[in-house]
Amino acid sequence: MSIFTHICLGTNDLQRARRFYDAVLAPLGIHNLGDFLDQGVGYGHKLAELLILRPLDGTPAHAGNGGTVSFKAPGREAVRAFHAAGLAAGGVDAGAPGPRGAVEHAYGAYLRDPDGNKICAYCFGAND
């Protein structure tokens, strides 16, 4: 069970962000669940757990330094597909797919989305 109800990331270009997240989350089995009010778009399996939104206060969205949103991947191939899809959809490499030392068998990849938000995908199986 997650400790979060949802996570929000800001964007300055909702259509660009929608194209990026549609592409990068598909290999992980996470779906575009449609518009979230008139402010953004929601992603998840059944409920919108990730919201990509234009800031309510009207000021430009900007990425926070030190923040990362991590997505569960079903295996290493999905991590690699996440990373490749993100690069093809306008993201920037922030850590190529590969083993990560913090947790045994951790395998992950990092991207910056077109608005600079840092995201990653991880799996934890020894032979994924």
Side-chain angles (χ1 to χ4, degrees), residues 29-92:
I30 300 170
H31 309 286
N32 178 332
L33 299 177
D35 292 341
F36 183 79
L37 305 172
D38 64 350
Q39 188 184 354
V41 61
Y43 292 88
H45 294 288
K46 294 180 182 177
L47 299 173
E49 298 172 69
L50 173 67
L51 300 170
I52 308 300
L53 307 170
R54 290 185 303 271
L56 280 174
D57 65 6
T59 62
H62 54 85
N65 186 25
T68 304
V69 175
S70 181
F71 299 97
K72 290 180 185 176
R76 292 180 180 201
E77 182 54 39
V79 171
R80 290 187 290 271
F82 159 90
H83 192 261
L87 295 177
V92 175

Side-chain angles (χ1 to χ4, degrees), residues 107-118:
Y107 188 90
Y110 290 81
L111 293 164
R112 292 272 181 186
D113 75 9
D115 289 290
N117 296 300
K118 191 173 184 183

Side-chain angles (χ1 to χ4, degrees), residues 10-22 89-90 113-116:
T11 184
N12 294 305
D13 184 333
L14 187 55
Q15 295 312 312
R16 178 186 68 187
R18 184 187 307 263
R19 286 188 302 273
F20 176 82
Y21 281 98
D22 283 359
D113 75 9
D115 289 290

